[in-house]
C-alpha cells in the first residue's frame, strides 16, 4: 500500500455530510455538502444557454465541476433544463456546458450539480481539488455513516431468513408482547425484517445436554430450499446457543458451503441470555451487513489503496471487515459524542450534555468523564443487545416539517431530508424548522452554501395560517406562527435532554451544554433556558463536530460473556480467569488494526441485577463488597430504592479494549477581554419583538472577544444565535463559551424595529 499523506474524518448524516481533512504539512480543511451528493447553486445574471455563471462557485477547485451533470430547476423544484459541464473557470464561476440549453435560464433559478459518486468521495475530491478525470491518491479515511440506520428505518435491507430451533419460528412475531403506546387502540407492529423463518430439528438444554441432535443432512436440504427463495442473508439463533454454540456453528458451516455469503450467528453477535433480543440483534446484523458491505466496497473502488476505518455505535473505530450491521445504527451520532466530550475536557469541564441538532433529527447524550453505554436498547423498531453509546434521538432537526394537524401545530417527526429539503432550498419542499429560523432572521443567508428563497417560506406560512384560521378561527401573523413553531421544536428537544438527565436522577443545571450540528447553535440558548442550564460551549468546528469526533476516536473492540451466579458467591480468581479468556480476542483485533501494546487500555465491567428482576446495571469490576455498594448507589439513583436483603446476581462479564489513536489537543482557557464591533445589524425576532441585532463574523472574533446578546454570529457551517440575556466569550482555542447573564430569563430591552 502507498503511504497515505492526507487523513479524512467524515460523517455522513441524514441531510448533510461533514468532511474534515488533516494534511501532511499541518493543514486543516473543512467541507460540508448534502448527503445526496447534490451541490446546489443559483443562476447568475450573465448566464446563457451555453454557460451558467454563479459567483458563489468562485474559488472552487480549478476545473472541479467538469464532467458533472447540471439541472436547472423551475419554481416547483422540477428539472426544467439539463446538460453536462464541459469546463469550469474558478476565477469567474463560469460553468460552460457541453450541450446547449434549449432556453436561457432565469436569473436566480436554482441549479444542481450531480455525478455518480457518493458524498464522502465528492467531499474528499473537493478538499484535495481533484476533478473527476484525476484519480484520488492513497489517503486515510475515518467514516461514520447512516447507511445502516437508513436501511433499518426504511426497511430496505437484505432479503433475510431466520434459522431457529423447531417450535420457535414465530419468535419475532410474538416478541415480548410489550405495548410501547398503552392507549393506542390499534397496535401497529414494526414491519418485520425477515422474509421467512426456518425451523431446524435440534434442542440443547440450559445445562448443555443435547436433547435433540442436529441432523446435518436435513439442515442442508432445508438451506438448499432457502437458496431457491433468493435469500441473501441468514441469521442463525438457536435456543441456549449463547452458552452452547456448537449447533449454530455447524449450521453456519453448511450455509457457507451452499454459497450463502452473509451469515450471522447469535453466539458471535450477541452471546447473552434472552433469546428474543438475541434473535432480533442477529437478524439486524444479517439484514444490514450486505448493505454496508456494498457501500464500503463502492468507497474502496472509488478510493483505491485507501485505509478505511468505520465508526461503530459504541464510539470506536473498526476495520471494514469487522464492521457489523448491528453495530452501525448510531455510527454518525457516536462521533458527535466523542467530539463534544473532547471539546468539554479541553475547556476544563468534566460534565457535559451534548446537543446535536442536524437536518433530520436531534441527538442528545450525557458525559460524566466516561462514556455512558447501553447494552440493550431499541432502535428503529428493533431490539439490540450490543454496546451503544447512550444517545436519545428526537425527530426534530432543521428539516423537520412544520404543519397543522387539524387541532394543533406540530413539528416533525417527518423530515424534508436532503431532497427536496426545506422550502427555502427552492425545490418545492415543505415548511420546516430551517425555514422558520430563516424567516425570523436567525440564519445568516449569505453564509449558506446556496441561495435561500424567502418568498417560498412566506407562502407556506400564509397557507398554514389560513389552515389554522379555518379550523380554529384564530388569526395568526406569519411572525407569530413562526415563533410558535419554534417554541414547539425547542420543547421537543428539551424533553429529549430531560430523558438523559432528570429521568436518570441527574440535574441538567449541573452540566455544560455543548451545542453542535448544523442547527443546534440557533436553538441552544432557548433550550438551555428551558432546562436551567447556565453555560453553553460552541466549538470552532461545531457545525461538523461529529466529523471532528470521528477524527478523535480510538480503535475500540468489545466482548461479553453471559454468566449466571450470585454476587455473594463471587470467586475473584475464577472471574479473573474468565476476563483473561474474554479479553484475548478483542486485544488481538485492536493490535491487528495497527495499535501497539503501549496504546492499549483494557476496561472490565460486570452486569448486576436483583435476583428475579430483568434490568441489569453495568459497573466496573471490583471486589464483592465494592460491587455491592456501587450497585446500591446506582440503583438508588436510577430507581429511587434499594433492597438490602435481596440477592444480587451476576448476568454478564464485559471487556472493552481501547487502542488510543486520537489526536492531541491543546487546553483552552479564558483570555483577557477584547472589544469588537459588529459588521452590521439585521432585524431578528425575539419573544414577539423584532430587534436590530448585531451581526459578527466568527472568523473575525479574536480570543478574548466578548459578544452580548442579542447577536447573530456567522460561522462557516452554522449560524450562532446569542439570545437576549446571554453573553459569549471566545476562549484561547477558538471555542465560544456562552453564559446566562440574567439566569437565562431572556428579558428584552432593545428597541424594536419593523416586525419580521
Amino acid at each position: 500500500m502507498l503511504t497515505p499523506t492526507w487523513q479524512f474524518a467524515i460523517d455522513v448524516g441524514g441531510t448533510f455530510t461533514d468532511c474534515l481533512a488533516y494534511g501532511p504539512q499541518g493543514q486543516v480543511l473543512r467541507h460540508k455538502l448534502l448527503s445526496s451528493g447534490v451541490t446546489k447553486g443559483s443562476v447568475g445574471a450573465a448566464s446563457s444557454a451555453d454557460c451558467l455563471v454563479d459567483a458563489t462557485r468562485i474559488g472552487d477547485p480549478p476545473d472541479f465541476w467538469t464532467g458533472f451533470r447540471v439541472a436547472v430547476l423551475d419554481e416547483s423544484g422540477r428539472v426544467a433544463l439539463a446538460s453536462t459541464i464541459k469546463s469550469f473557470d474558478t476565477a469567474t464561476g463560469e460553468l460552460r456546458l457541453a450541450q446547449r440549453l434549449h432556453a436561457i435560464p432565469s436569473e436566480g433559478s436554482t441549479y444542481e450539480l450531480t455525478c455518480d459518486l457518493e458524498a464522502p468521495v465528492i467531499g474528499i475530491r473537493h478538499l484535495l481539488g481533484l476533478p473527476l478525470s484525476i484519480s484520488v491518491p492513497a489517503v486515510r479515511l475515518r467514516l461514520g455513516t447512516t447507511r445502516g440506520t437508513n436501511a433499518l428505518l426504511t426497511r430496505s435491507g437484505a432479503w433475510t431468513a431466520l434459522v431457529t430451533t423447531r417450535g420457535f419460528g414465530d419468535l419475532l412475531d410474538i416478541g415480548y408482547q410489550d405495548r410501547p403506546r398503552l392507549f393506542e387502540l390499534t397496535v401497529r407492529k414494526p414491519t418485520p425484517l425477515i422474509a421467512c423463518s426456518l425451523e431446524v430439528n435440534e434442542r440443547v438444554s440450559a445445562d448443555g445436554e443435547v436433547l435433540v441432535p442436529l441432523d446435518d443432512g436435513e439442515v442442508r436440504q432445508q438451506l438448499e430450499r432457502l437458496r431457491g427463495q433468493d435469500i441473501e442473508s441468514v441469521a442463525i439463533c438457536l435456543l441456549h446457543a449463547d452458552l452452547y454454540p456448537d449447533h449454530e456453528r455447524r449450521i453456519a458451516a453448511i450455509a457457507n458451503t451452499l454459497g450463502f455469503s452473509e451469515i450471522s450467528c447469535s453466539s458471535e453477535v450477541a452471546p447473552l441470555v434472552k433469546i428474543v433480543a438475541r434473535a432480533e440483534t442477529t437478524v439486524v446484523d444479517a439484514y444490514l451487513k450486505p448493505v454496508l458491505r456494498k457501500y464500503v466496497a463502492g468507497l474502496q473502488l472509488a478510493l483505491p489503496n485507501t485505509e478505511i476505518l468505520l465508526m461503530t455505535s459504541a464510539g470506536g473505530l473498526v476495520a471494514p471487515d469487522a464492521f457489523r450491521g448491528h453495530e452501525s445504527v448510531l455510527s454518525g451520532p457516536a462521533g458527535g459524542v466523542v467530539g463534544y466530550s473532547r471539546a468539554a475536557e479541553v475547556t476544563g469541564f468534566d460534565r457535559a450534555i451534548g446537543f446535536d441538532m442536524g437536518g433530520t433529527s436531534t441527538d442528545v447524550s450525557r458525559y460524566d468523564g466516561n462514556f455512558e453505554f447501553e447494552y440493550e436498547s431499541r432502535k428503529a423498531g428493533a431490539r439490540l443487545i450490543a454496546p451503544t453509546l447512550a444517545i436519545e434521538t428526537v425527530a426534530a432537526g432543521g428539516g423537520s416539517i412544520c404543519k397543522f394537524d387539524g387541532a394543533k401545530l406540530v413539528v416533525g417527526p417527518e423530515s424534508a431530508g436532503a431532497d427536496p429539503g426545506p422550502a427555502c432550498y427552492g425545490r418545492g419542499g415543505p415548511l420546516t424548522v430551517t425555514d422558520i429560523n430563516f424567516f425570523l432572521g436567525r440564519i445568516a443567508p449569505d453564509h449558506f452554501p446556496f441561495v435561500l428563497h424567502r418568498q417560498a417560506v412566506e407562502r407556506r406560512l400564509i397557507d398554514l395560517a389560513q389552515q389554522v384560521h379555518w379550523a380554529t378561527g384564530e388569526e395568526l401573523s406569519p411572525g407569530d406562527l413562526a415563533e410558535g413553531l419554534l417554541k414547539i421544536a425547542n420543547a421537543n428537544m428539551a424533553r429529549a435532554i430531560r430523558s438523559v438527565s432528570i429521568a436518570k436522577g441527574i440535574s441538567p443545571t449541573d452540566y455544560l451544554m455543548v451545542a453542535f450540528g448544523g442547527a443546534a447553535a440557533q436553538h441552544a440558548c432557548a433550550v438551555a433556558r428551558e432546562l436551567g442550564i447556565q453555560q453553553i460551549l460552541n466549538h470552532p468546528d461545531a457545525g461538523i463536530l461529529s466529523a471532528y469526533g470521528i477524527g478523535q476516536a480510538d480503535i475500540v473492540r468489545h466482548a461479553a460473556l453471559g454468566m449466571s451466579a450470585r454476587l455473594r458467591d463471587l470467586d475473584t480468581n475464577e472471574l479473573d480467569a474468565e476476563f483473561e479468556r474474554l479479553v484475548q480476542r478483542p486485544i488481538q483485533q485492536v493490535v491487528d488494526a495497527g495499535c501497539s501494546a503501549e496504546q492499549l487500555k483494557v476496561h472490565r465491567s460486570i452486569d448486576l441485577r436483583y435476583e428475579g428482576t430483568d434490568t441489569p446495571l453495568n459497573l466496573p469490576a471490583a471486589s464483592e463488597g465494592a460491587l455491592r455498594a456501587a450497585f446500591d448507589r446506582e440503583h438508588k439513583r436510577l430507581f429511587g430504592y434499594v433492597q438490602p436483603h435481596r440477592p444480587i446476581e451476576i448476568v454478564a462479564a464485559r471487556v472493552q479494549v481501547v487502542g488510543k489513536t486520537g489526536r492531541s489537543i491543546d487546553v483552552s482557557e479564558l483570555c483577557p477581554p477584547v472589544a469588537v464591533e459588529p459588521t452590521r445589524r439585521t432585524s431578528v425576532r425575539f419573544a414577539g419583538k423584532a430587534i436590530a441585532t448585531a451581526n459578527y463574523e466568527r472568523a473575525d472574533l479574536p480570543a478574548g472577544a466578548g459578544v452580548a446578546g442579542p447577536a447573530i454570529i456567522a460561522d462557516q457551517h452554522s449560524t450562532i444565535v446569542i439570545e437576549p440575556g446571554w453573553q459569549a466569550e471566545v476562549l484561547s482555542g477558538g471555542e465560544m463559551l456562552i453564559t446566562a447573564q440574567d439566569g437565562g430569563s431572556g428579558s428584552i430591552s432593545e428597541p424594536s424595529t419593523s416586525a419580521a
Side-chain angles (χ1 to χ4, degrees), residues 181-246:
R181 298 177 180 86
L182 288 177
F183 302 104
E184 191 173 80
L185 297 179
T186 303
V187 178
R188 296 174 176 85
K189 299 179 71 173
T191 304
L193 299 182
I194 58 171
C196 63
S197 62
L198 173 65
E199 299 183 9
V200 297
N201 193 28
E202 70 84 41
R203 190 66 175 261
V204 179
S205 73
D207 297 324
E209 181 185 355
V210 178
L211 303 177
V212 179
L214 183 70
D215 186 332
D216 290 12
E218 182 182 355
V219 170
R220 178 177 291 274
Q221 291 176 3
Q222 291 177 292
L223 291 174
E224 284 175 342
R225 287 194 289 271
L226 275 187
R227 289 289 291 170
Q229 299 176 34
D230 296 326
I231 294 296
E232 301 173 68
S233 197
V234 175
I236 306 170
C237 183
L238 305 180
L239 197 65
H240 303 308
D242 54 311
L243 298 174
Y244 310 104
D246 179 61

Side-chain angles (χ1 to χ4, degrees), residues 551-685:
Q552 292 293 331
D554 299 315
I555 307 290
V556 180
R557 296 306 294 159
H558 291 258
L561 174 68
M563 301 181 69
S564 181
R566 285 187 172 183
L567 178 60
R568 67 188 180 197
D569 299 329
L570 177 67
D571 184 323
T572 305
N573 293 330
E574 184 179 335
L575 184 61
D576 286 343
E578 291 289 0
F579 273 126
E580 284 303 316
R581 286 192 289 270
L582 186 61
V583 80
Q584 295 306 310
R585 185 179 179 188
I587 284 179
Q588 190 60 52
Q589 290 172 327
V590 174
V591 170
D592 290 344
C595 293
S596 64
E598 293 75 24
Q599 294 174 284
L600 298 185
K601 199 170 185 180
V602 177
H603 302 275
R604 300 178 174 186
S605 62
I606 298 177
D607 287 0
L608 300 174
R609 67 186 179 191
Y610 281 128
E611 197 169 70
T613 63
D614 191 54
T615 305
L617 303 180
N618 181 257
L619 298 166
S623 65
E624 186 267 338
L627 280 170
R628 175 85 210 203
F631 178 84
D632 286 347
R633 287 194 302 271
E634 189 69 2
H635 202 278
K636 177 73 173 177
R637 181 179 70 83
L638 287 173
F639 304 113
Y641 71 95
V642 294
Q643 295 179 306
H645 304 297
R646 188 168 189 172
I648 297 173
E649 64 176 345
I650 302 173
V651 181
R654 300 181 183 275
V655 295
Q656 178 192 23
V657 179
V658 179
K660 302 295 290 184
T661 64
R663 307 173 70 89
S664 61
I665 318 171
D666 293 332
V667 173
S668 188
E669 53 194 5
L670 289 170
C671 299
V674 175
V676 291
E677 292 295 326
T679 56
R680 56 176 176 162
R681 291 185 180 271
T682 58
S683 177
V684 184
R685 183 164 170 143

